[in-house]
Amino acid sequence: PWSKQKARFWKVGKNGFLPSAPPPVWTHETAPEYCSVLVDLARALPSMCVANGPFRRLVDSCKERLERLDDKLGQLSVGEAERACSLLAFIHCGYKSGSKCQTPHWIYKPFRALASKLDRPSRISYSDLVLLNWQWRHDDCPRGQDQSNINNNTKAGNNNNTKAGGGAMIFEKREKLRADDKKMNSSKGGEVKRPPNPNHHDNIKNVDEERPVRVRIVQRFLAIPAEEWFWALHVKMEYEARHSIFAIRRGLRAIQQDNLNEVQACLDMLSYGLRRLISIHPDPYPHSSRAELVLMRRIKHYIAPGISLRELSVLVYAGHSAILPALFTFLGVKKGRHELQAWRDDKNKYMPTEHRKFIGMIKSTLSARAYLKEKISKQKDYSRRMHDVAVLEVSFNRCIEGLLRFCSRRSQLVCRCVPQEAQWFREVQMKQEAEFITRSHCALLIGHKLRNISKSSVLKNAIGPSSPSRKHAHTGMRPSRAKKSDSLYSVDSQLGFAALEPEPEAKTT
């Protein structure tokens, strides 16, 4: 069924928030015959849209071919439908760029029909610009995702036994790998061990030794190096989110099973995933800061012609990505009323359906901060040691600090892309964002101990003064006590160091 194919295509997992298999990339030879007109128009887009070029006249000349497209869209698979809808989104933006003319019905009608079938808005979105706009380079293709499945999309009717995406080619590759393994087994006389799976939690440290995966951007508006770098940065970010996704899923199961040690291990994995997301953003940047400024000034007419520069800065910061909403929801960061939070809440409709379901699954479960707070508040009835809860709190705070650094890197990118609104974004929006993230930092264990100290001091005052120590016996005065308003050192002495001091000996009569 179509719904199961779509869920399988957008499955959140091994490729992060990217599609589970590389999206089909069409050429004039490999595209279905009735979709070749979309490939021709998309290829001409960067060169014929410059300085109000003749792109509209080219689209109008293809009117008859585009009208025939509407009747054959039902023959496309999910991957092919996503590619056709993405190409129509680029053509739609190119036709309207630089003017206020209306898109003709022979473009907008098939675009709206495909968008409705795929459960997405009929406008260009983050899915078209990033999630579907990539392919692996031949020398950097991850195992199990061979590049041949991208270029193996034959025309309709030429190879009906081959599924869209080149499934037969992948099957042949796997069979060849198995045959090679059997030969090595017979020659060496032992079992051949496959390389460890980097997504598995036992081998999470092996991911640092991986060669960084490189991608190629398929469709562009401007065809300049800065545009290639900008979209590739976000494709890699969505791919590297797979470590955080694995940690969140495992953490949700551990919270439901009330396994404190497992939750702590998942928070450590999430901290590692955040470091991977941070490492995607270069520091320092490989090019001049004017490159992003020129890019945003020119590409704004295509992707967001009617929004202000402040809205553009928020778009660059969050986009329609599911990374920040998933992290904020799992860690239990409180929602504010600033524009960044309003954008995240309002733009969920532009996400793929499986991404929205993943965020809804996180919302339906107890957050990591609420779980930690529950364990500390019910520590008297809990069989574990307080030390385990303290280690859990340290792991959670490490994730909060990683999230704050990741948001800071995104803010740095915004200031380079939209420097006109850099001061407003940094001093108003990012300041409020960082404030709500910092408020989620847990000091619950210290507060729990301070409450116990205050209760014990009240109990001592109710019992009465104790006998003076030997040191003050001749004066009859009691030693001075630290007040609640003392420095942090005095609080630490009450919590830890006071227990190490020997008890005063009672005066003998």
Side-chain angles (χ1 to χ4, degrees), residues 76-92:
L76 300 175
S77 64
V78 173
E80 293 174 338
E82 292 283 1
R83 173 56 61 196
C85 189
S86 179
L87 292 178
L88 281 170
F90 274 87
I91 295 170
H92 171 73

Side-chain angles (χ1 to χ4, degrees), residues 466-490:
S466 59
S467 57
S469 61
R470 182 179 299 176
K471 181 177 180 180
H472 301 276
H474 64 283
T475 60
M477 298 177 59
R478 298 179 63 190
S480 60
R481 295 183 179 179
K483 299 180 181 179
K484 292 184 179 179
S485 60
D486 285 345
S487 62
L488 182 62
Y489 177 80
S490 64

Side-chain angles (χ1 to χ4, degrees), residues 80-125:
E80 293 174 338
E82 292 283 1
R83 173 56 61 196
C85 189
S86 179
L87 292 178
L88 281 170
F90 274 87
I91 295 170
H92 171 73
C93 292
Y95 193 92
K96 292 185 65 175
S97 65
S99 66
K100 298 181 179 180
C101 64
Q102 295 295 327
T103 308
H105 68 277
W106 61 82
I107 295 177
Y108 191 71
K109 186 178 178 181
F111 183 29
R112 184 171 53 185
L114 273 179
S116 177
K117 190 176 181 180
L118 296 170
D119 191 19
R120 51 161 288 176
S122 55
R123 55 156 293 176
I124 197 165
S125 64

Side-chain angles (χ1 to χ4, degrees), residues 76 145 155 198 284 295-296 305 322 373 394 407 452 458 491 504-505:
L76 300 175
Q145 300 179 33
K155 295 184 179 182
L295 170 66
M296 287 296 120
K373 187 176 180 180
V394 171
C407 293
N452 291 342
V458 170
V491 175
E505 299 179 3

Side-chain angles (χ1 to χ4, degrees), residues 175-244:
E175 292 298 324
K176 187 177 179 181
L177 286 172
R178 290 174 184 172
D180 294 341
D181 286 349
K182 290 180 180 178
K183 291 180 182 179
M184 293 175 67
N185 282 336
S186 59
S187 62
K188 294 184 178 180
E191 184 179 356
V192 178
K193 295 183 178 180
R194 288 195 176 276
N197 181 11
N199 293 332
H200 197 269
H201 63 277
D202 295 333
N203 306 312
I204 199 71
K205 294 182 181 179
N206 296 335
V207 186
D208 287 329
E209 302 173 1
E210 284 184 345
R211 182 178 57 181
V213 176
R214 295 183 299 170
V215 295
R216 188 180 73 85
I217 300 302
V218 177
Q219 186 62 45
R220 291 167 288 179
F221 284 107
L222 306 177
I224 59 176
E227 185 185 13
E228 174 90 15
W229 171 86
F230 185 79
W231 299 131
L233 169 72
H234 290 81
V235 172
K236 294 175 185 177
M237 183 181 71
E238 299 292 334
Y239 177 71
E240 289 296 339
R242 68 193 193 277
H243 306 295
S244 301

